[in-house]
Amino acid sequence: MKIVLAALNAKYVHSNLAVYDLQAYAEEQLNKERNELYKAEKAGIPEIVIKEYTINHNLDLILQSLYQEKAAVVAFSCYIWNVHEILIIAKELSKVSPKMHIWLGGPEVSYNSEKLLEEHPFIEGIIQGEGEVTFYELVKVWSCLDEKSEDDKLGRIADAGINGKDHRENILEKSDKYSGVLGITYRDLSGKICGNGKRPLMSLDDVPFIYRDLSKFENKILYYESSRGCPFSCSYCLSSIDKSVRFRSIELVEKELQFFLDHKVSQVKFIDRTFNCKREHSLAIWRYLLEHDNGITNFHFEVAADLIGEEELAVLSKMRPGLIQLEIGLQSTNPATIREIHRVMDVERLKKNMLTIKGFHNIHQHLDLIAGLPFEDVITFKQSFNEAYEMKPNQLQLGFLKVLKGSYMGEQINEYGLQYQDNQPYEVLSTKWISYDEILALKQVEEMVEVYYNSAQFEHVLNYVISFFESSYDFFEAIGTYYAKNQLYGIGFKREARYNVLRSFCMEWFKKCDRTFSAKILDSLLVYDYYLRENAKSRPAWSPEEPIEKQKYQDFFKRGGTEEIHLGKEGYDSKVAARVMHIEPVAREAVLWITDSEMMADEKVSKNSDAMMDSKNVKSEEDIAYCLFNYENRNPLSKDASVAILSHL
């Protein structure tokens, strides 16, 4: 008998931890039973196969692939981003394989199961909530149905231990194959939709470690779980429904972390909802990673930054740049909104901790905001945005409220005047506090933040330009309006073109607003940011001419630098150096901006240079300085080249 666990991931690099957990737990338990309760010849273990696709796959090809498996059961893992596609595939699959048992599971179908079964008669049942034990018991039922003899079928179910003798008698009385399996909603033999009640939560130590064979996860992000549940009650989140936080024993976690470290995997993402909700647990893991760092693997954590204490900060400060990264859910800084969404958060402490960690220069921080929350209008959201920007995250994610089935937010639709999309991702359209026009304006800001801030390719020029605006939000709003006016949205820009657009926007905006600014500084900072990330083969459009004489450029590398910076160390090859480095002149005023701005000096120059001069002493007849970019020596967090600023060549 073949059972297929099917997953549609958002991207190819993603993997679905849930289906691997279900497979591993079921196979482990069935093998134990075969060894302990059965004789091998009487207890055939069903084949459990995982099929992973992405939502970008052609749906007809997914249908063909699943059909060709010739499985008795196909169970889909459903999330907000894939349930629409899954229901389309499942319906067609039921037509070409009418005898197939089609089941669903996952957070997107756990809280409206009965309605979903009513609307989709081709679905036989739904696993609700935590699925490992439930799936295992279903596998035993399905394998019993595959037997030839009805007597043997009933005996096998009784032997399998699903409520023992009582369950056997229940089947004989009701002819209901699923009645003893907790945690499901299903159709009985008469077609009636039934629910068997909630399943007790399992110990996380009973979940098998799925990564013994890493060949199945080549070029994929690895997901890991050291806890389940969340102690908080945020009204927009499904994790608030179950506050029973459980932890995997630290001895087991450390053993499994060592496996990742020994195999030098590139990244492991912890999916714990609030990783640091139990201090001794998170501290033990961070200390272990610090002490056993392999110099390669990166670990991602979702944390409540305001819960980070002095002990944690001391550990974090010692970590290798790139060893860990933090995702922080700020969502809003508006006190009325924070109270209404039942969120517990000390915003000032969160900001203090983020800035402290920023100063360590070793940890990437990702900060989340949500637009469309209750009591959040455009004015208060603008304030939330500006405060978030001041926290200096490496990435600022501007998201929009999703009204999830089963969440408290979904129960407040009338009170909040919530209008949201009927289909996934169930995103907010408007509320009592914010209109759809304003939502659309925020979406423009969102895209500009992605292009010009989160790309981390415009940091120095942004600091200069934003200094002329009332706030960071005002800048992103203004350039978003510029994109709309010039019909620039939806265009697949090359990297250089984004710099050209930013420059054109600045020239128009400063002229219109009659603001005094330096075009020379602007162009120098654009050039600086342009070459900071890559040694571009073509000159940027705003600086098309080669600014340094070819012979002078070559002589610099032939003699191994200058008295300011000596390149001619052991093994020095002038041709290699010229190939992996680039020299660019910039205006001295721009150097002052690069070195004197707090974020620039901390993040990109003084902490990312082989040799950096005091900018106030950088003088030359042309009032310029020379930036030497070294692409062989990059910042491990930003991937920017290291920079040395020279007064002459």
Side-chain angles (χ1 to χ4, degrees):
M1 181 188 196
K2 180 185 284 189
I3 298 168
V4 171
L5 287 163
L8 272 70
N9 302 322
K11 297 179 181 178
Y12 172 78
V13 295
H14 296 170
S15 56
N16 187 306
L17 179 61
V19 295
Y20 286 97
D21 279 348
L22 297 186
Q23 180 196 48
Y25 183 84
E27 289 181 343
E28 182 179 272
Q29 298 303 314
L30 289 167
N31 277 307
K32 284 181 181 178
E33 288 188 355
R34 183 178 67 177
N35 295 332
E36 297 172 8
L37 302 177
Y38 304 114
K39 300 303 179 185
E41 66 271 15
K42 188 180 178 182
I45 301 263
E47 179 186 8
I48 303 174
V49 176
I50 290 175
K51 299 292 291 184
E52 287 191 279
Y53 312 93
T54 77
I55 56 175
N56 298 315
H57 270 102
N58 182 290
L59 298 189
D60 187 53
L61 294 180
I62 298 175
L63 170 65
Q64 294 175 33
S65 173
L66 291 174
Y67 171 78
Q68 289 167 351
E69 289 294 320
K70 302 298 182 183
V73 181
V74 173
F76 291 92
S77 178
C78 301
Y79 295 86
I80 193 171
W81 64 81
N82 67 12
V83 68
H84 176 71
E85 291 81 3
I86 283 173
L87 289 173
I88 292 173
I89 295 166
K91 184 175 183 178
E92 304 308 322
L93 193 58
S94 71
K95 295 176 184 177
V96 295
S97 300
K99 293 183 179 180
M100 180 183 287
H101 303 278
I102 298 178
W103 280 69
L104 308 179
E108 184 55 25
V109 296
S110 286
Y111 299 98
N112 62 338
S113 301
E114 186 172 332
K115 180 181 178 184
L116 199 147
L117 288 175
E118 289 173 353
E119 294 175 348
H120 302 90
F122 50 88
I123 304 298
E124 185 176 65
I126 294 172
I127 298 174
Q128 297 169 287
E130 193 170 74
E132 285 89 351
V133 179
T134 302
F135 177 73
Y136 152 61
E137 293 190 358
L138 285 171
V139 168
K140 291 194 290 184
V141 173
W142 291 325
S143 63
C144 293
L145 297 176
D146 203 38
E147 296 292 326
K148 295 179 181 179
S149 163
E150 182 69 20
D151 290 338
D152 187 46
K153 184 188 306 180
L154 296 173
R156 285 284 309 286
I157 293 177
D159 286 345
I162 307 175
N163 294 347
K165 180 180 177 182
D166 291 339
H167 183 67
R168 175 188 171 122
E169 291 174 354
N170 192 39
I171 287 185
L172 289 169
E173 179 181 349
K174 297 183 178 180
S175 296
D176 185 351
K177 54 186 178 292
Y178 297 126
S179 63
V181 182
L182 296 176
I184 63 172
T185 301
Y186 66 101
R187 304 179 197 280
D188 67 12
L189 297 180
S190 69
K192 179 184 176 182
I193 296 175
C194 305
N196 291 351
K198 193 174 182 180
R199 177 173 295 281
L201 300 175
M202 68 187 297
S203 167
L204 274 197
D205 283 1
D206 292 336
V207 179
F209 184 66
I210 67 166
Y211 293 112
R212 300 302 177 191
D213 180 9
L214 286 173
S215 64
K216 296 184 292 187
F217 303 96
E218 191 173 354
N219 301 318
K220 297 290 186 77
I221 296 171
L222 304 188
Y223 296 93
Y224 183 77
E225 186 176 39
S226 76
S227 68
R228 280 184 186 172
C230 182
F232 303 117
S233 303
C234 304
S235 63
Y236 51 82
C237 181
L238 292 180
S239 296
S240 64
I241 295 171
D242 174 21
K243 302 183 188 64
S244 302
V245 187
R246 292 155 291 149
F247 298 88
R248 200 165 176 85
S249 64
I250 198 64
E251 296 79 14
L252 197 54
V253 171
E254 289 179 353
K255 179 182 177 182
E256 292 162 354
L257 291 180
Q258 192 59 50
F259 177 89
F260 295 132
L261 293 165
D262 289 344
H263 287 82
K264 294 181 170 58
V265 302
S266 59
Q267 185 178 55
V268 177
K269 295 192 76 170
F270 276 65
I271 62 170
D272 304 37
R273 297 308 303 157
T274 306
F275 171 74
N276 63 326
C277 64
K278 184 179 178 182
R279 176 163 293 175
E280 56 268 31
H281 180 81
S282 57
L283 253 178
I285 291 174
W286 283 342
R287 281 174 174 154
Y288 188 88
L289 295 179
L290 174 62
E291 294 166 4
H292 297 82
D293 179 22
N294 62 10
I296 295 172
T297 306
N298 166 263
F299 294 87
H300 176 102
F301 303 94
E302 293 185 35
V303 300
D306 56 317
L307 298 183
I308 295 175
E310 293 302 319
E311 280 187 281
E312 293 96 313
L313 290 172
V315 172
L316 296 178
S317 69
K318 300 173 184 176
M319 288 184 169
R320 163 182 60 87
L323 173 57
I324 74 166
Q325 60 190 51
L326 303 179
E327 183 172 348
I328 300 155
L330 175 64
Q331 320 313 5
S332 174
T333 64
N334 180 25
T337 298
I338 294 171
R339 285 193 301 270
E340 184 64 19
I341 63 176
H342 307 155
R343 188 164 176 79
V344 179
M345 179 175 57
D346 184 335
V347 174
E348 286 305 311
R349 182 170 180 137
L350 184 149
K351 179 179 180 180
K352 179 182 177 183
N353 282 341
M354 283 194 65
L355 291 175
T356 298
I357 293 170
K358 180 79 170 178
F360 297 157
H361 313 291
N362 63 349
I363 294 172
H364 176 101
Q365 296 183 97
H366 176 120
L367 190 65
D368 293 326
L369 285 175
I370 296 180
L373 292 171
F375 294 99
E376 189 88 273
D377 57 19
V378 170
I379 294 174
T380 60
F381 184 81
K382 177 179 177 179
Q383 180 64 26
S384 292
F385 181 96
N386 288 330
E387 290 187 51
Y389 196 87
E390 291 172 3
M391 297 178 192
K392 308 298 182 186
N394 298 90
Q395 283 201 311
L396 178 57
Q397 183 70 48
L398 199 173
F400 293 82
L401 174 67
K402 294 170 178 58
V403 186
L404 304 179
K405 298 180 179 69
S407 68
Y408 175 80
M409 187 70 67
E411 300 173 4
Q412 307 302 310
I413 294 171
N414 293 331
E415 182 176 344
Y416 296 158
L418 259 175
Q419 295 288 338
Y420 64 97
Q421 297 169 347
D422 286 339
N423 298 315
Q424 87 275 16
Y426 315 115
E427 194 170 272
V428 65
L429 299 173
S430 64
T431 70
K432 285 167 56 175
W433 301 275
I434 195 165
S435 69
Y436 186 52
D437 283 324
E438 291 167 330
I439 289 288
L440 293 180
L442 290 179
K443 284 187 175 291
Q444 292 183 359
V445 171
E446 175 197 27
E447 184 162 344
M448 293 299 96
V449 170
E450 282 297 310
V451 170
Y452 289 107
Y453 184 79
N454 289 343
S455 68
Q457 296 183 42
F458 304 86
E459 184 172 351
H460 302 89
V461 70
L462 280 193
N463 275 288
Y464 178 71
V465 173
I466 289 176
S467 71
F468 291 91
F469 285 78
E470 292 297 320
S471 72
S472 56
Y473 181 92
D474 289 327
F475 162 75
F476 290 107
E477 182 181 47
I479 193 170
T481 300
Y482 178 85
Y483 264 67
K485 184 185 72 173
N486 292 281
Q487 300 180 330
L488 300 177
Y489 287 110
I491 297 176
F493 284 107
K494 293 183 178 180
R495 181 170 176 265
E496 180 186 337
R498 293 292 189 186
Y499 290 85
N500 288 331
V501 172
L502 177 59
R503 185 177 188 275
S504 297
F505 160 76
C506 290
M507 293 301 186
E508 179 181 301
W509 189 87
F510 283 116
K511 181 178 181 180
K512 180 176 64 177
C513 297
D514 194 27
R515 301 295 296 270
T516 301
F517 88 109
S518 168
K520 183 166 67 171
I521 293 178
L522 176 70
D523 285 349
S524 285
L525 292 174
L526 283 166
V527 167
Y528 184 89
D529 282 336
Y530 182 71
Y531 282 105
L532 191 60
R533 180 60 56 87
E534 66 172 315
N535 192 359
K537 294 180 180 180
S538 60
R539 299 287 308 167
W542 64 92
S543 181
E545 302 297 328
E546 289 291 347
I548 304 173
E549 293 179 11
K550 186 176 181 179
Q551 189 61 51
K552 187 176 183 180
Y553 195 96
Q554 293 174 343
D555 288 345
F556 173 86
F557 291 106
K558 286 179 180 179
R559 66 175 180 266
T562 68
E563 68 275 10
E564 292 177 290
I565 181 168
H566 183 59
L567 303 176
K569 301 174 183 177
E570 184 178 352
Y572 175 76
D573 186 320
S574 62
K575 292 182 179 179
V576 172
R579 188 168 61 248
V580 301
M581 297 182 186
H582 176 77
I583 304 172
E584 192 71 27
V586 297
R588 181 171 177 272
E589 296 95 329
V591 174
L592 293 174
W593 267 97
I594 293 168
T595 55
D596 290 352
S597 167
E598 178 182 2
M599 183 168 72
M600 298 173 200
D602 284 349
E603 190 66 14
K604 291 293 178 72
V605 180
S606 63
K607 293 293 181 180
N608 192 28
S609 298
D610 289 329
M612 176 59 64
M613 297 183 59
D614 181 352
S615 61
K616 296 180 176 59
N617 294 325
V618 177
K619 297 180 180 179
S620 69
E621 293 180 1
E622 300 89 355
D623 203 21
I624 62 171
Y626 295 91
C627 293
L628 176 65
F629 300 93
N630 185 349
Y631 301 100
E632 287 283 280
N633 182 19
R634 292 179 179 269
N635 184 303
L637 295 185
S638 67
K639 308 306 179 185
D640 288 342
S642 63
V643 184
I645 295 183
L646 313 173
S647 61
H648 64 279
L649 295 184

